[in-house]
Amino acid sequence: MCPAGVKGALQDAEEVARAQSVIFLTDFFPPVRFRSSTVKECIHAILKENLANVQYDPEETPQLTRSLSETIKDRLKEEGFYRYKMVVQVVIGEQRGEGVNMAARCFWDSDTDNYAQDIFMNDSLFCVVAAFGCFYY
Amino acid sequence: MEEFHPHNDEMTFNAEEAHSIVKECIEGILGKVDYNHNKVNQWTATIVEQSLTHLVKLGKTYKYIVTCAVMQKSGAGLHTASSCFWDTTTDGTCTVRWENRTMNCIVNVFAIAVVL
């Protein structure tokens, strides 16, 4: 963990260096990769915590979906993926035995960019979360 | 080989263009069919692949994420939400909703700018 004083000094040093047109290696190679397994665990914990005993309700669910996506995004920001742009998508549906199929395709740099997904189900609803991370060069 | 000059000073995501591209793809694939459990896998894959190919052909310096959900119509509710941590001046999103008698289809496009 970086103490606040040191972090501030490092940020100042970075600003000075950038002003002098210094290019950092971390501009092109992420120091911390967007690891699928780490992100999946974060998402799983948040879903378990927030949806454990929730019933599907047509009035409440839109608000719940929105707040879940914000929560997951904020949690991923805290994980500290340096220079990553992130997209979190949450889909919640009522369980009525209907068929649902979801697919995603991405056009990106597979060396640096990645995604993670998780699915949560109980008897009244199902929830699919997909989190995508794109490195900003 | 053509010379490629990306204009980065005023690069914003054109959502209308993406909307029409995606809508065309969906119509082409789901336009005349009813929900079929055996084929839906193939349909969603084709929709995302075709949409992505057409978006890339626009030739802009963007990374794209395209997601598609197809759901059988049974009176059940479905909600989607997304939250994005990016540069709002250059990056953008577009959602296309489509339906017919037997199914609903939602396609989301997320475009993330690459600054070279």
Side-chain angles (χ1 to χ4, degrees), chain B residues 47-81:
Chain B
I47 291 172
V48 281
E49 274 161 28
Q50 267 189 25
S51 305
L52 193 56
T53 314
H54 284 107
L55 286 166
V56 168
K57 279 192 186 157
L58 293 174
K60 302 201 174 144
T61 51
Y62 274 101
K63 290 182 178 180
Y64 294 102
I65 296 167
V66 181
T67 69
C68 168
V70 172
M71 193 168 110
Q72 191 179 17
K73 271 194 173 169
S74 67
L78 185 80
H79 302 269
T80 73

Side-chain angles (χ1 to χ4, degrees), chain B residues 29-113:
Chain B
I29 295 162
L30 299 182
K32 299 177 182 162
V33 292
D34 285 341
Y35 184 83
N36 181 336
H37 179 71
N38 298 317
K39 296 210 177 139
V40 71
N41 246 325
Q42 196 191 332
W43 290 336
T44 44
T46 318
I47 291 172
V48 281
E49 274 161 28
Q50 267 189 25
S51 305
L52 193 56
T53 314
H54 284 107
L55 286 166
V56 168
K57 279 192 186 157
L58 293 174
K60 302 201 174 144
T61 51
Y62 274 101
K63 290 182 178 180
Y64 294 102
I65 296 167
V66 181
T67 69
C68 168
V70 172
M71 193 168 110
Q72 191 179 17
K73 271 194 173 169
S74 67
L78 185 80
H79 302 269
T80 73
S82 59
S83 184
C84 311
F85 177 62
W86 59 23
D87 183 346
T88 48
T89 53
T90 54
D91 307 331
T93 174
C94 158
T95 307
V96 181
R97 272 160 289 247
W98 185 93
E99 65 180 296
N100 72 5
R101 204 174 48 93
T102 51
M103 54 189 167
N104 283 304
C105 175
I106 300 176
V107 176
N108 277 303
V109 175
F110 301 98
I112 293 166

Side-chain angles (χ1 to χ4, degrees), chain B residues 10-30:
Chain B
E10 284 193 23
M11 192 164 71
T12 47
F13 177 58
N14 190 342
E16 291 95 38
E17 203 176 16
H19 194 279
S20 55
I21 288 174
V22 171
K23 189 137 188 234
E24 233 180 87
C25 287
I26 303 176
E27 293 276 332
I29 295 162
L30 299 182

Side-chain angles (χ1 to χ4, degrees), chain A residues 5 63 75 79 100:
Chain A
Q63 182 52 37
R75 177 76 183 82
E79 282 290 305
V100 187

Side-chain angles (χ1 to χ4, degrees), chain A residues 86 89-90 92 101 103 105 113, chain B residues 49 63 68 79 81 85 108:
Chain A
M86 295 183 276
Q89 186 178 29
V90 175
I92 297 186
N101 192 284
R105 287 287 185 282
D113 306 332
Chain B
E49 274 161 28
K63 290 182 178 180
C68 168
H79 302 269
F85 177 62
N108 277 303

